[in-house]
Amino acid sequence: MKRVAIVGAGMTSFGEHFSLGIKDLVPMALSEAIASVDKGFERRDIGAAWMGEVGATDGHAAGILADSCGLLDIPVTRIENACATGQDIIRQAIYAIASGYVDVAIALGADKVRDTSSSATFWDWMALTRDMAWDFPLGLVAPANFALPVSRYLHEAPATREHLAMIAVKNHFHGVKNPKAQLRSEITVEQALNAPMVAEPFGL
Amino acid sequence: MGISIGTYLPPWGTERARVPGYDEDALTMAVEAGRLAIGEEVGITRVVFVSRELPLLEGGNSAPLLAGLRLGRDVEVVERIGGAPATLDALTSAAPGTLVIGVDAGSAAGAAAALVAGSNPTSQVARVQRSMPQRTRLANGQPGFNDDDPRMLREIGVRASIEAAGLPGKPLAVAGLGARDAASWSAPDAPALPTVGASSVLFAIAALTEAGRSGLVAASEQAALSAANVDVSTGAVRRHERPVQPPVKRRQTPGTGVRVSLAAYDRAFEAKVRWQAGKCTKCGTLAMPPRYHCLGCGVDDSWEYTPLPYTGTVYTTTTVHVPVPSLESPYTLAVVECDGVDVRVLMHVTDMPPGTVKIGGHGRLVLRRVAMRSGVPDYGYAFSPDMPDKDKRGGAQ
């Protein structure tokens, strides 16, 4: 197997981006990634591409990547693997390069969840992610989905809610340094612990 | 033998009047009362469901009712719109093997059911159908006329009907009236009743059975009156009436609604509403919902339905506080381990304020209306935490 390296990366900022469609955001991220490669890189050198998208906006994801980025003559594949989708597209690209099938591959993830009103988006999203008869009607929102195992974990392990708060503090700390992060402010453990509740034990 | 009665009051409201929980309707309340009346009895061939709040006028209440009652799909169901006289008429005319359920799911909510096993110990004494439409509800379910004149109702409604009935004496209880009126038309020591509609006459018979008082019982609704002699000597009563608590303030968030997939509804129904897991016929491994491929032994397409226990323990839980479109927040979810089997199911927590259950808490699994989906009631099981022993009344099952 060949060794594989990540040689460039690009991304848009995180936000609602009402004025930008997924066909704007995807090429923005790819162009920035190509521009970031040390000593330059030609788009025509891309041998295959993987597109990660959980939802579906403005059409089939692989076609959007191929069309909006001018990748018309290479294999383009859409991957969906819930919250692990981004990692999975990197894994697919690594397999392709390590096996010798291509020399350069693109892994690009995008989701555009704010193209419908917030009152409709929720159930559209739930329909994609939940069993229609068993989970869908219960209101198993994403925070609750993770709160259930974490509640059990806090019950079984010596970990406490303070430890969860420390993770939030760490995440905010790194967000400050990232100009494209959605939230760029530091918080304290006390602020995290006292935040309004979303789904116990998770606060805002 | 005789009459077995089950009664159910929602845990919400005030001492004067209970109200249904956000996940209750006439059908889930009918199941609560009906299960208590049935107990271990078998051979039920007919169910008469009397209410003025039937959840659906078209689309079918019968199948989820029978599933919740754990009765066969071949049992006849009569859905009868009516109040206290309609319930009493259904009881006096009931053949052995008939379960009569009266439900009030509006204000002053409650449900009561009577199973006639062996000879029917009730007999009709009088029936008077007179028209006194002081309050009307139209075919679309919307309120029509409402002339709140209690004195007019008392004089040309109830009094005239009681006189026309020619009753042999004062009834031990008159169901369907407010407390003061009921007392004035009844013999001394009439039982206080929690409802005034279809369930009220069965609550009256339940109280008389507990007091060992056989005799005349009347049921009134506007100017309609029915009366029957009731022999309570062979009766039994089981109640599920938790202490009352104020309704929880929930915030309904506007949304586009929870849509239904009828194909998914149909595939899930037997497991979800009859509370049955799939059991591998080779190795016995349970799956909820049932699976094509057994995770225990790997066999394909080899399973049968098997009943799940109706009690369980909280494995993990969370309470959602944020607004969720089309739902009412806050609400509590729990993954519940069914007692004695290796099955965990995600469900709502009911009958208690949100956020009050803990991991390890024990409770009953009860039929509730999990959601309204595009105008279809979606029934499934919810976790009802056990009460501390000091608060228990009656034999909840």
Side-chain angles (χ1 to χ4, degrees):
Chain A
M1 298 286 267
K2 281 166 52 176
R3 297 187 65 187
V4 180
I6 295 175
V7 298
M11 66 188 282
T12 70
S13 62
F14 279 82
E16 288 173 315
H17 289 310
F18 287 122
S19 62
L20 297 171
I22 196 166
K23 294 174 186 173
D24 301 310
L25 293 165
V26 165
M28 284 166 67
L30 181 62
S31 293
E32 188 174 299
I34 290 171
S36 74
V37 177
D38 191 26
K39 294 175 185 150
F41 169 74
E42 293 293 326
R43 188 171 295 230
R44 64 172 175 271
D45 293 336
I46 299 171
W50 278 265
M51 167 85 172
E53 189 185 19
V54 174
T57 313
D58 290 334
H60 291 300
I64 286 171
L65 174 61
D67 180 69
S68 69
C69 296
L71 304 175
L72 299 176
D73 301 317
I74 60 169
V76 180
T77 308
R78 180 253 181 101
I79 297 285
E80 181 281 301
N81 199 352
C83 297
T85 297
Q87 262 173 314
D88 210 338
I89 53 175
I90 292 173
R91 179 166 62 185
Q92 304 309 316
I94 289 172
Y95 287 166
I97 296 165
S99 66
Y101 186 73
V102 297
D103 291 327
V104 179
I106 292 294
L108 191 149
D111 263 300
K112 187 75 170 69
V113 294
R114 291 292 275 127
D115 272 15
T116 51
S117 80
S118 58
S119 61
T121 302
F122 173 77
W123 290 103
D124 291 347
W125 201 255
M126 289 284 279
L128 293 172
T129 57
R130 302 283 181 259
D131 184 287
M132 204 52 175
W134 291 90
D135 315 323
F136 179 76
L138 293 177
L140 182 65
V141 292
N145 191 35
F146 293 104
L148 286 167
V150 168
S151 291
R152 183 70 198 185
Y153 177 73
L154 294 182
H155 176 76
E156 289 183 10
T160 65
R161 227 179 141 244
E162 280 72 20
H163 293 102
L164 299 183
M166 290 162 74
I167 297 170
V169 169
K170 178 265 294 175
N171 289 351
H172 272 264
F173 173 77
H174 289 299
V176 170
K177 297 178 177 174
N178 182 348
K180 290 173 177 174
Q182 186 177 8
L183 302 173
R184 301 189 63 203
S185 58
E186 284 200 68
I187 59 167
T188 64
V189 168
E190 288 69 33
Q191 281 175 300
L193 287 173
N194 295 324
M197 201 58 83
V198 173
E200 292 163 30
F202 297 146
L204 188 61
Chain B
M1 289 296 116
I3 295 187
S4 164
I5 299 177
T7 72
Y8 171 74
L9 292 178
W12 313 104
T14 63
E15 289 297 340
R16 286 187 57 199
R18 305 285 180 118
V19 294
Y22 73 102
D23 55 356
E24 292 185 286
D25 65 12
L27 189 143
T28 66
M29 292 168 62
V31 167
E32 289 274 8
R35 277 307 311 163
L36 289 172
I38 292 169
E40 303 300 317
E41 283 290 335
V42 294
I44 296 156
T45 54
R46 194 163 191 255
V47 176
V48 185
F49 177 17
V50 190
S51 180
R52 291 207 179 273
E53 287 89 23
L54 296 174
L56 294 175
L57 292 183
E58 184 176 351
N61 304 308
S62 303
L65 179 67
L66 290 175
L69 291 171
R70 305 172 219 168
L71 298 177
R73 295 190 290 191
D74 57 346
V75 170
E76 179 188 4
V77 176
V78 179
E79 300 179 31
R80 187 163 179 173
I81 298 171
T87 306
L88 188 57
D89 291 347
L91 184 60
T92 54
S93 62
T98 301
L99 178 68
V100 177
I101 314 176
V103 186
D104 294 290
S107 55
L115 174 62
V116 178
S119 63
N120 189 334
T122 69
S123 56
Q124 187 196 321
V125 171
R127 181 184 297 132
V128 177
Q129 294 284 13
R130 294 176 55 245
S131 185
M132 178 71 188
Q134 265 208 331
R135 193 175 61 253
T136 67
R137 213 182 302 178
L138 307 178
N140 61 6
Q142 295 302 307
F145 187 58
N146 189 356
D147 176 23
D148 185 18
D149 184 340
R151 183 167 159 71
M152 185 190 290
L153 178 64
R154 196 177 303 138
E155 293 304 320
I156 61 175
V158 181
R159 179 189 297 279
S161 292
I162 286 179
E163 285 171 0
L167 298 181
K170 275 199 165 184
L172 300 177
V174 181
L177 302 176
R180 231 185 76 209
D181 283 329
S184 73
W185 299 114
S186 309
D189 302 321
L193 304 178
T195 62
V196 293
S199 66
S200 59
V201 68
L202 297 179
F203 276 104
I205 295 172
L208 295 173
T209 302
E210 287 167 332
R213 300 172 68 199
S214 295
L216 188 63
V217 174
S220 169
E221 185 183 46
Q222 304 205 41
L225 186 91
S226 286
N229 269 318
V230 180
D231 174 3
V232 303
S233 59
T234 57
V237 178
R238 281 184 288 265
R239 293 182 183 267
H240 182 46
E241 303 175 1
R242 295 167 77 114
V244 71
Q245 52 194 329
V248 173
K249 286 194 177 65
R250 289 172 205 269
R251 179 173 41 165
Q252 167 86 48
T253 308
T256 51
V258 190
R259 73 171 191 264
V260 69
S261 158
L262 282 181
Y265 173 97
D266 176 62
R267 287 194 300 271
F269 189 91
E270 284 296 306
K272 188 171 158 177
V273 190
R274 277 194 184 273
W275 201 235
Q276 302 176 99
K279 181 181 182 181
C280 176
T281 53
K282 296 282 183 288
C283 75
T285 297
L286 298 182
M288 185 63 171
R291 295 172 179 272
Y292 177 83
H293 179 80
C294 176
L295 297 188
C297 68
V299 70
D300 281 340
D301 198 18
S302 180
W303 59 272
E304 60 194 11
Y305 284 115
T306 189
L308 279 172
Y310 288 85
T311 55
T313 303
V314 175
Y315 177 77
T316 185
T317 180
T318 186
T319 297
V320 177
H321 293 267
V322 288
V324 177
S326 313
L327 298 187
E328 294 180 32
S329 299
Y331 56 90
T332 297
L333 295 164
V335 174
V336 175
E337 264 178 337
C338 294
D339 282 348
V341 294
D342 189 19
V343 169
R344 292 179 193 155
V345 185
L346 177 72
M347 56 183 74
H348 271 211
V349 174
T350 189
D351 294 347
M352 290 289 280
T356 50
V357 295
K358 300 274 180 279
I359 291 173
H362 192 261
R364 293 193 309 143
L365 309 183
V366 295
L367 190 75
R368 290 291 183 264
R369 194 187 63 196
V370 172
M372 278 301 287
R373 304 175 66 175
S374 326
V376 176
D378 187 4
Y379 296 104
Y381 281 79
F383 181 81
S384 174
D386 288 341
M387 297 302 297
D389 282 342
K390 63 182 171 58
D391 291 334
K392 273 189 183 161
R393 180 180 178 194
Q397 66 174 113

